[in-house]
Amino acid sequence: MYVLRRLFHDGFDRPELVLIHYSAAPENSPDTLLVRSTAVVVPSGIPGTRQVHLVLPRPPDGGRLLVRYLFSTVGGGREWFSSPYDVLLPGPATAGDVDEIEVEGEGNAVPAPGRGMFRLALPLRPDEPRTGGVRFGFGAMRKKPSLSLCRARVPQAHGEAPVVEVPEALSVLKNYPMPFFLYHVPEGGTVPLADKINGARITIRDAEGDIVCARALWGDRSWAAHNLTVMEVKNFASEEGRASGCFHAGDRESFLRNRAAVLAGHPLPRTFEGFVFGPSGSVVEYCFQVLRLRAGEAVASWVNAPSGTNWSITL
């Protein structure tokens, strides 16, 4: 698998939030999407510069990978989108910005249909080494722990736990993502260590009926990894105007108008819902970023806990 680094420069007006929306497809079949997702672009340690590392699959035919992406920002009550960019992997335009994750065989288990990935710093134990590589993988609840499930290897840098992508669920029951196990083993180890991955449903209530899009920004208490969940109105049944299309719509103004029209058919108050994920017993912090349609314009704002801080939930 490829790991592609992309940079974003804040400019004069520092955004409150920067996201990257990306897709990847074989170069010779650009309509065959292998992945489509959104990630949070975080400070790089250099003032005014943010970075993100995109985990991307290799094309099944062994050819080059076409990656398409654009940035969006939130700041001053407005949402802004950049022009789209195209790059090929491998290629000269990404020289020095591409690493690889070593993968055995067909790679790790993939998410259940309709579910995506989230980012997590591997939950290393205090006595585990902080150098060398770590193998990791996933298994269903009834799956016996085995090294054969750990099919990807990532290096450790600067003594910190590596951030990896983990499926939101391997299976879904009645629209609820079911728990599973994340396994990891340090280089040279023979016994995988297991962490049960749980999900928790979070909600935000819209009493006035002006919210058209709601997202949850979340991470563990260290914020070693940032995640964004696009939330949907409970019992939303229309195929048109689904929240999952908000960042990838070709005509965003038309998308927001159509979505607002569909939402108008849902009685007040409306409940937007989504999920956060992590190891069992861990604490997730989160807040909401919403778009409200007012006087025909989309206005961006943040919703925090009554204390002014983030909400938190134990998984």
Side-chain angles (χ1 to χ4, degrees), residues 52-294:
V52 64
H53 293 86
L54 308 179
V55 180
L56 304 166
R58 287 180 173 273
D61 62 0
R64 294 202 296 179
L65 187 71
L66 173 63
V67 182
R68 290 176 169 162
Y69 65 94
L70 69 155
F71 295 100
S72 71
T73 66
V74 171
R78 294 290 181 266
E79 195 172 42
W80 170 86
F81 286 82
S82 75
S83 299
Y85 302 90
D86 287 3
V87 294
L88 287 170
L89 300 182
T94 56
D97 285 326
V98 179
D99 290 317
E100 294 190 32
I101 294 177
E102 299 176 21
V103 176
E104 297 178 359
E106 297 180 355
N108 283 331
V110 299
R115 303 308 312 184
M117 308 286 281
F118 72 96
R119 297 182 178 218
L120 174 72
L122 275 178
L124 304 181
R125 308 310 192 253
D127 58 346
E128 287 189 71
R130 293 300 192 271
T131 59
V134 182
R135 293 172 60 188
F136 71 98
F138 322 110
M141 292 295 291
R142 295 183 180 180
K143 199 82 170 179
K144 185 178 180 180
S146 169
L147 278 177
S148 64
L149 295 173
C150 301
R151 301 172 191 149
R153 179 190 178 277
V154 290
Q156 297 189 77
H158 312 297
E160 298 177 354
V163 173
V164 299
E165 287 198 338
V166 178
E168 294 176 344
L170 301 182
S171 61
V172 175
L173 180 63
K174 295 182 179 179
N175 296 322
Y176 201 96
M178 300 304 293
F180 64 97
F181 280 111
L182 162 66
Y183 299 108
H184 78 270
V185 60
E187 202 158 38
T190 58
V191 180
L193 299 170
D195 289 276
K196 182 182 176 183
I197 299 299
N198 284 340
R201 177 177 172 267
I202 58 173
T203 63
I204 181 172
R205 191 169 181 262
D206 177 21
E208 298 179 7
D210 59 355
I211 295 179
V212 286
C213 295
R215 302 111 184 202
L217 178 67
W218 58 276
D220 65 16
R221 281 188 163 161
S222 72
W223 287 93
H226 294 64
N227 291 282
L228 188 90
T229 292
V230 176
M231 306 177 75
E232 186 57 279
V233 168
K234 188 176 181 180
N235 299 323
F236 190 92
S238 173
E239 289 300 320
E240 184 178 0
R242 297 189 70 85
S244 57
C246 63
F247 291 130
H248 302 276
D251 185 338
R252 290 180 187 83
E253 291 186 1
S254 176
F255 171 84
L256 291 176
R257 286 195 303 269
N258 292 338
R259 179 164 170 79
V262 175
L263 289 175
H266 289 255
L268 297 178
R270 299 175 191 139
T271 298
F272 288 76
E273 59 184 358
F275 287 89
V276 296
F277 303 90
S280 177
S282 66
V283 176
V284 166
E285 293 188 357
Y286 63 95
C287 61
F288 300 108
Q289 190 270 308
V290 300
L291 282 185
R292 302 180 188 272
L293 205 58
R294 292 178 173 170

